[in-house]
Structure formats: structure tokens, C-alpha cells
Amino acid sequence: MANMAQAIRMALNYGETHLGVKDIFGQDVGAPLGGVFTATQGLKNSWNTPLDERGIIGMAMGIAMTGERCVAEIQFGDYIFNTIDLLKIAGNTLWVTNGNYPMPMVVMTPVGAGIRGSIYHSHSFDAWASRLPGWKVVMPSTPKDAYGLLIAAIKDPNPVLFLKPKALMRVRGQELIPGEPEERELKAMIDAPIGDRTKWTAKWPQLQEFEVPIGQAAITREGEQVTVVSYGRHLLLCNQIADELREEGLSVEVIDLRTIYPYDWQTVKRSIQKTGRVVFVNEDTEVTNFAEHLVYRTTQELFYDLLARPQVVAGKNVPGIGLHPNLEDASVPQKHDIVEAIRSAIAEVP
Amino acid sequence: MQPVRQLSKKTSQKRSPKQVPKQTSQKLKLTSKGAKAASLSSNVKKDLKKTPKAGPFGGLSQDLLLNMHDLMVKSRVLEERLIKIYKAGDAYFWIGGPGEEAWGVTLGMLVNKGQGPKHDYLHLHYRCTPTLVAMGLSMIDSIRLIMNRSTDPSTGGRNFSNHYCFPQWNVAPVSSPIEVQYVMALGTAHVQKRHQANALTVVTGGDAGTAEGDFASCLVWASRRGQELPILITVQNNLWGISTSYEGQHGENQIADRAKAFNIRSRVINANDPVESYLAIQEEMQYIRKTGKPSFIEAKLSRLYGHSSASGANLISHEQDCVKEFEKKLIQNGLIKESAAKLIWEKYEEEGFEAQKIVRTEPVPTPESIWENIYVGSENADWRKF
């Protein structure tokens, strides 16, 4: 099975060969490195930029103004913050021009903790991103979804932020991307060799077009007693917890939101109406967390369906993720935090 | 990053959509006086056939000079009309470009106008009325913008005066945050380089904004060896950043010196002189089209009515007035009669006045329209409806 970095690479190749993507760029995105997570290795239209995040986003906006498709990368989400006014402008350009100037551009950036990345390689951006009207924001948890969401993002005529859970970039999926070759063969085809790469070119598999529609969540575990809504790295943890609790006879329904905005409320709503209990899980900091909006909506629309208080399990509201494991583990939700929230939600008597 | 501050607190009249007529594009009807002026203006061109040799007009033809003058007057009258509209309470805010006519009009006359990478792209700042007038902007469309009518073709009533946007002319949306246009310009220039159509990107901005990092980004990206971009980088240096003087913000001798550090060809011009502006822009555009490399112009010019309505929007009488100076020179050299020049002013005064009357009757944006065009095709962006 492909890992997420390979899946992203293959989606970008599909984009440049079938969807008119002429520019895939960012710091160290082109040869020889092909991205710090190798997600852009071997692409024919990838190129290196100056170390300048504002230049990268501005370049993408200018390309979008011509109507051409591009994918820009900010090397780590931690470094996207100095572009936030440009992101605001990219999101409001269509609106403020009353429909005159669409901005078809994709920006991808690795986010979140989980690799012992210290304060400036661990930031989350999903809550910030949810406050960028005009953008669509997606975040996959599996390689197959990464492939399908990225293709959907490239095709979308609006700006799309593709958040890559960096701790999952080397995690292999459990489902094949349509047309994906066997793992060893895939590696030989599209992974750049160690050492001299000057004569290497990728041999791309004949993948089929596969799209995960933006705005469509997935139920990854069916259950009856509590709904858990998550995305990205923590989604896999929630799946694991649901499987383990099932051994104890607890039935947990897990929803992978996949799109943060515009989000799939109908899937969430149906599940909460069924279970009466909900826990929202993500690793961005807890104050004005995106999940708080979902809790607000839950209480407004489903108040009389609820059997327990909705809960948010999120990162602590501290300035950063400290390097020592004690600090990181105390800052972002751990397995036991999620289990505890699920157990308490199920145990609560209305 | 906020050039526009201290917005007027005055409230202007709001009209219910039901109270306004449905017409959205009435044609202007000039009175006999205006029609006479228009007629005389064209007669002037016929009567005065001599073409000046070099001298004060750099060898430019009489037709071109008179056209330049006409557009400069039109732009000035339009801007003064916009100020009157603000002062009459028909607009919430004014910001614009009186004083930049000599630069802006000549720039607009020289661009390869059209849509797509085979034509020039323009990333303009909020003093760009002269450029757009030269490209064909009608007075009434500028007035629709400042009076935030739904008929405003640039923003549909969503943004300030001079925040134009015309995709059919490759005019990128003008933004209030200053200097961001300098990084977006890189993208259009990059695509133009790929298309190899001798088209270029123009970016304009003020001297104070050059302190922003985006200005430096533009110099860095445009000048990378072997990857140079076809972009005319310009700075309109009026010596002011709202109320802060040039001396308070700059240590460099000339802003153009910063371009030299990146091996970008650069020059400083007196942009209060339309002939010097025209010749300089023409020459730099030719260089860019020929080489595919960037060029830089620091255009020194006046700011005639201050920063915006927030600072009063009153005439600064000690600043050089490029329109009046140019007109004087044309008259002194016999290229136009004083009476004919006066009629041009009157013609546009009347056009602006009539346009304001029409726009007053035009519809305003509806409250429910806030949800339109957040996404392409007005795909739903309201979470209440997800």
C-alpha cells in the first residue's frame, strides 16, 4: 500500500498530466529533494522557490488570476502564519470582486504534532483555517483519501487548503488507490534513490481518477452509543480506540470529517441523532477551536436529542508544543484523553 | 498594513431597493454645452495640425499629446467629482489619484490591453483612476464604485473608491492592504513568461509601502538569474505615507537604488511630466518585451488631495499640478487654445455631474447578497445550510 507522501505525489502527477497543473512549487519542492516529506519527488512541473512564504502565496494568487492551476506548498504549517493576510485576500477576492476573479489554487502544508517537532514543526492550522471564508479546507487521514481529496482540490475553482497531517506521511493505507501497483513495485517506480538523483526519473503508474468530494465525511466505524468526530492524525487514533472499546462491549461511531469547511453536517447530525452523545477530537489548541463551533451547532440544533454534554478533546491552550515527550504528550490529546472522554460521555446519565 | 484608517463616521443615505428604479445602465445625455465641448475638442485636433519637434514634447505627435491631455483632464475631473460625491454625503470614503495623472494616464495609454497572458497584467494601487481612464474606464462606472451601487462592475458595491477590478483588461483587484500586489504580480508575470507572448506585468504602489516585505519579495523573485520575470516594477513616490514624510521612513538615497542591488535596470523620473513619463514607460516596456527581464521606475509625483477623505481631501496648493502645468505648456506652444481647453474641462464636469445623478437612482446591494460569490457559482458557503 502507498503511504500518504506517495499518494500525494501520485495525485500531483495526475494533476500535472490530466488536470492542467503547470506549477507545483515551494521551498525544496523541486529536485533534488522533492519536498521535505518527499511528497513532490519526480514531478515534471515542480520547482524550488526562494525561502519566502509570502512570495509563494503571492505567486500562487497571481497564477490563479490568469486562470491556470497551481499547487503551492508551505514547507511547514508553522511558517504559514506570516501569509495570513494573503490567505485572507485569496479567500475574499472572488467575493469582493462580485464574482469577477476566481482564485483556483491549492495550498498544501504539513500540520500537527507527533514527530517530536518542537515548537515550530508542530503547529496545527485547522482552527485558523476555518476562519478564512472563501477557502475550502480539507485534511485527509489515509493515503487513499489524500489522493482523492487532492484531485478534488485541484479541480475545484476555489482556493483550497490541503492540510497534511505530517505524522501520517509515512503511514501506509489499508485501501488501494484505484490502479495502484504492489507496494515494492510502487516504491521502485516513484521513490527517488538515495544519493545521486540526477539521472533518475519517476515511472508513474497508470492510476485512475479517484475523487473524494470536498464536503463529504466518512463513517469509519459504525456504532450506537457515542459519536466521535475527528480528522487527520487523531482520526486513526479514534478508529483504534473504537476497535478496542468494542472488545469491552462499547459501541463507538467514528466520523472522519475530511473536510473542515464546508463540512458535512448532515452526516454528523444523523449520527448524533442516533447516539445522543458526541465527542469532537482534534489537536489544535482548545480556545476558539473549530470543534467549539460544531459543539455550538450541536447544542443549537440537537439539544433535545442529546443524552450527554457534547465534549471537545483538543490541544491545551499553550504557546507551543515543547520538545520533550512529557511536554508534547501533555499538550496534544493522547489516547487516554480520548478514551476518558468517550467513557464519560457514554456513562453520563441524562 | 492598513493604509486606510480613520474612516468617516458620517452615515450616508441608504435607499431601500424598492425605492430605486430598476434601470442599471442609463446612457449619459450631454446638454448642448457638453456636446459643443466634445465637438470643439475634436475640432481642435483638426485645426492644429503641426507636430511638435522634440523640445518640450519629446517628439510626440500632436494627436497623442492632445489625447493625453484630454484623458488627464477627464481623470482629474472624475477624481474631483468623486471628492464632491464624498463631501455631499453620497459616499462613505474617498481615496484616489489626483496628482498622478501624468504618470497614470501615460501608463494606461501604453499597456497592451486585453484579457489573458498574451496581454499585459496590471496590479495597481488605489490611486489608479488615471490609468484606467486611459484604458477606457467610464466616469459613471467609477462613480458607481464610490457610491457602492450593485451596478458597480468592479465590486458590486462591496469596496472603496479606486478599488477597481477589470478582468477583461487584466486589471487585478486593487486591495486596501498595501504592497500585497507586488507578490501577486510575480504570478501573472511567471505565466506570461511561460507563454512567451511579449506581454508583461505592471505593478504600481506607493513609496511608503516599499517598507513592506512584499516589495523586497518582488525584487528577489523577479530577478533570479536565468529566471527573470517580465515585470515593470514601479513606485509612485509622492513623499508621503499618509501623514509620515519620506524622510521619516527612508534611508536609501533613491528607492530605485534598491532595484540596482538585484541587477534590475532602474531609473528615477519626474512623473509630473507626462511626456517624460510616456517616454520612460515606453522605453522600459520595450526593454522588458525584448529581454523578458524586469525593469524598475521610481516615479516622483504629487499627491494633490492628501491621502484620502480621512485627511480632508482638500487641495494641497503648494504641490505641483501636472494637469495644469501640461495644459499651460500646450497652450504656450500653440497646441491648444485656452478656450478649447476650458471646454474640455466643462465637458467632463458635466459628464460627471450627470453620472452622479444617474447613479443616485441605481440599486444598492441587497442584504441577502452577502452570500453571493463566496465560492464560484455562489455555491453555498453558509454553514447554516450545510
Side-chain angles (χ1 to χ4, degrees):
Chain A
M1 298 283 178
N3 63 34
M4 193 177 285
Q6 291 172 320
I8 289 168
R9 213 183 297 160
M10 289 190 284
L12 291 171
N13 173 252
Y14 191 88
E16 64 183 6
T17 52
H18 294 91
L19 303 176
V21 175
K22 296 189 179 75
D23 294 286
I24 300 161
F25 58 97
Q27 190 191 343
D28 301 315
V29 160
L33 191 58
V36 290
F37 290 96
T38 72
T40 51
Q41 275 183 351
L43 299 165
K44 66 177 179 190
N45 292 338
S46 64
W47 50 277
N48 291 324
T49 66
L51 201 170
D52 177 14
E53 291 82 11
R54 292 185 64 83
I56 292 167
I57 299 299
M59 169 65 74
M61 293 169 74
I63 292 172
M65 283 175 180
T66 71
E68 295 199 356
R69 302 280 165 148
C70 68
V71 179
E73 180 178 83
I74 299 297
Q75 194 167 73
F76 286 93
D78 310 69
Y79 306 121
I80 202 170
F81 290 90
N82 71 339
T83 73
I84 205 143
D85 65 319
L86 291 173
L87 298 178
K88 287 285 290 181
I89 293 169
N92 69 33
T93 293
L94 182 75
W95 185 87
V96 80
T97 63
N98 207 21
N100 276 323
Y101 261 102
M103 298 291 275
M105 55 190 269
V106 179
V107 173
M108 55 183 194
T109 190
V111 293
I115 63 163
R116 305 302 181 206
S118 185
I119 183 168
Y120 271 100
H121 297 80
S122 302
H123 272 99
S124 290
F125 198 66
D126 43 295
W128 297 88
S130 71
R131 295 185 52 77
L132 292 171
W135 281 81
K136 295 184 177 180
V137 184
V138 300
M139 190 169 180
S141 64
T142 69
K144 187 180 177 188
D145 279 356
Y147 181 85
L149 278 172
L150 189 47
I151 285 177
I154 290 168
K155 286 173 143 184
D156 201 283
N158 300 288
V160 181
L161 192 56
F162 184 88
L163 301 177
K164 301 188 280 193
K166 68 171 80 77
L168 300 185
M169 294 295 277
R170 294 280 173 270
V171 175
R172 300 199 176 279
Q174 296 179 333
E175 287 182 277
L176 282 173
I177 295 165
E180 179 189 329
E182 180 271 327
E183 189 173 310
R184 197 171 299 173
E185 185 188 351
L186 178 67
K187 180 176 172 55
M189 291 172 79
I190 69 168
D191 281 5
I194 306 295
D196 182 18
R197 299 170 174 178
T198 51
K199 292 176 184 166
W200 174 78
T201 52
K203 294 182 179 121
W204 297 101
Q206 293 300 311
L207 293 180
Q208 297 157 25
E209 183 162 315
F210 169 72
E211 198 174 330
V212 173
I214 293 176
Q216 196 173 98
I219 297 172
T220 56
R221 297 290 186 276
E222 291 193 359
E224 304 295 329
Q225 289 177 285
V226 63
T227 299
V228 176
V229 181
S230 188
Y231 44 81
R233 176 167 76 106
H234 281 78
L235 188 278
L236 300 192
L237 200 52
C238 293
N239 282 343
Q240 184 190 342
I241 291 166
D243 293 341
E244 291 174 6
L245 291 179
R246 192 169 295 279
E247 302 291 313
E248 296 179 25
L250 298 177
S251 179
V252 179
E253 179 144 301
V254 180
I255 294 174
D256 185 352
L257 204 56
R258 301 197 292 195
T259 298
I260 291 160
Y261 211 90
Y263 60 86
D264 183 355
W265 175 247
Q266 294 307 317
T267 296
V268 174
K269 180 181 177 182
R270 277 193 299 273
S271 180
I272 298 173
Q273 284 173 324
K274 179 174 71 174
T275 63
R277 302 165 199 273
V278 63
V279 177
F280 297 98
V281 181
N282 66 65
E283 62 178 305
D284 208 338
T285 47
E286 60 202 343
V287 176
T288 62
N289 185 286
F290 173 61
E292 293 183 332
H293 164 73
L294 297 175
V295 167
Y296 167 77
R297 189 162 185 184
T298 300
T299 56
Q300 291 298 303
E301 295 185 23
L302 302 171
F303 187 76
Y304 297 105
D305 294 304
L306 291 173
L307 300 171
R309 294 164 294 140
Q311 295 189 49
V312 173
V313 180
K316 299 296 187 297
N317 195 38
V318 293
I321 310 295
L323 178 56
H324 192 280
N326 283 349
L327 303 176
E328 176 166 327
D329 295 353
S331 302
V332 295
Q334 300 299 305
K335 187 177 173 186
H336 62 84
D337 298 317
I338 302 167
V339 170
E340 191 178 315
I342 291 172
R343 287 188 191 281
S344 72
I346 292 174
E348 190 162 327
V349 177
Chain B
M1 292 292 283
Q2 292 178 335
V4 177
R5 55 192 186 201
Q6 296 175 349
L7 294 184
S8 167
K9 289 179 182 172
K10 91 166 52 170
T11 54
S12 75
Q13 63 183 56
K14 291 181 182 175
R15 210 178 307 242
S16 155
K18 289 180 183 173
Q19 293 175 303
V20 295
K22 286 185 177 175
Q23 78 236 39
T24 56
S25 58
Q26 290 187 37
K27 287 185 179 174
L28 288 176
K29 290 177 184 170
L30 296 178
T31 63
S32 56
K33 196 169 152 190
K36 191 178 168 192
S39 169
L40 263 173
S41 177
S42 55
N43 285 340
V44 164
K45 292 173 190 171
K46 287 176 190 169
D47 291 345
L48 302 166
K49 291 178 181 172
K50 62 183 174 185
T51 300
K53 307 287 180 195
F57 300 110
L60 299 181
S61 75
Q62 178 182 336
D63 280 353
L64 192 147
L65 292 167
L66 291 180
N67 186 32
M68 196 183 276
H69 169 260
D70 188 276
L71 292 167
M72 287 169 69
V73 172
K74 183 177 184 180
S75 179
R76 172 64 58 80
V77 171
L78 171 57
E79 285 285 17
E80 289 177 341
R81 171 56 49 188
L82 298 181
I83 292 170
K84 285 174 191 159
I85 288 170
Y86 163 75
K87 291 187 174 179
D90 273 352
Y92 293 99
F93 182 72
W94 168 82
I95 192 162
E100 295 204 3
E101 292 86 355
W103 163 262
V105 161
T106 50
L107 174 63
M109 290 172 79
L110 285 162
V111 296
N112 167 9
K113 187 174 85 171
Q115 187 165 20
K118 293 183 178 176
H119 299 276
D120 296 346
Y121 279 94
L122 293 105
H123 299 261
L124 304 171
H125 70 158
Y126 44 61
R127 305 196 191 280
C128 60
T129 287
T131 300
L132 291 168
V133 163
M135 292 177 74
L137 168 71
S138 67
M139 292 178 99
I140 195 166
D141 278 344
S142 180
I143 291 169
R144 286 173 171 135
L145 173 60
I146 195 172
M147 290 176 69
N148 40 90
R149 290 306 197 260
S150 59
T151 50
D152 151 35
S154 290
T155 80
R158 291 176 172 184
N159 212 345
F160 287 144
S161 67
N162 262 268
H163 286 56
Y164 301 105
C165 141
F166 293 101
Q168 69 273 31
W169 299 340
N170 279 350
V171 174
V174 175
S175 73
S176 294
I178 54 170
E179 226 67 1
V180 295
Q181 69 271 28
Y182 282 79
V183 280
M184 296 177 211
L186 299 167
T188 53
H190 171 79
V191 172
Q192 287 171 314
K193 189 179 183 76
R194 176 159 52 228
H195 284 262
Q196 296 183 322
N198 284 333
L200 53 82
T201 287
V202 179
V203 60
T204 70
D207 52 296
T210 60
E212 300 281 5
D214 293 341
F215 177 73
S217 289
C218 187
L219 298 177
V220 171
W221 288 62
S223 64
R224 293 187 297 158
R225 287 197 177 91
Q227 302 175 69
E228 292 91 347
L229 296 175
I231 176 170
L232 178 58
I233 306 167
T234 75
V235 173
Q236 286 66 69
N237 185 357
N238 61 28
L239 301 177
W240 290 102
I242 304 185
S243 68
T244 306
S245 69
Y246 182 89
E247 291 74 23
Q249 302 187 65
H250 295 269
E252 71 271 40
N253 292 327
Q254 307 279 6
I255 295 170
D257 291 345
R258 294 180 66 185
K260 289 179 187 168
F262 293 87
N263 295 312
I264 296 174
R265 165 173 152 140
S266 69
R267 66 200 293 175
V268 181
I269 66 166
N270 171 18
N272 278 328
D273 179 347
V275 173
E276 183 172 340
S277 296
Y278 187 93
L279 295 173
I281 295 169
Q282 185 179 52
E283 191 174 312
E284 296 313 311
M285 282 184 163
Q286 282 169 353
Y287 165 78
I288 297 166
R289 294 188 205 284
K290 185 178 174 187
T291 65
K293 293 183 177 178
S295 176
F296 186 100
I297 299 177
E298 178 181 349
K300 294 200 165 179
L301 39 67
S302 300
R303 190 181 73 171
L304 272 189
Y305 280 83
H307 174 71
S308 68
S309 54
S311 53
N314 296 313
L315 181 66
I316 314 291
S317 55
H318 58 79
E319 293 261 13
Q320 189 179 347
D321 184 332
C322 63
V323 183
K324 297 281 173 61
E325 293 282 331
F326 185 49
E327 185 172 291
K328 196 167 138 191
K329 203 185 283 186
L330 290 174
I331 292 168
Q332 284 172 346
N333 284 274
L335 295 183
I336 192 170
K337 290 176 181 166
E338 192 169 352
S339 56
K342 190 179 171 201
L343 284 170
I344 294 172
W345 287 84
E346 288 174 357
K347 174 184 69 171
Y348 289 127
E349 283 286 2
E350 187 175 350
E351 184 178 339
F353 180 74
E354 292 297 323
Q356 181 181 356
K357 282 204 295 189
I358 291 170
V359 175
R360 274 185 175 147
T361 69
E362 291 187 342
V364 297
T366 60
E368 57 272 19
S369 70
I370 60 169
W371 295 106
E372 291 172 6
N373 294 311
I374 295 175
Y375 292 137
V376 169
S378 291
E379 176 187 338
N380 178 45
D382 181 1
W383 57 270
R384 296 163 190 81
K385 297 174 184 170
F386 289 166

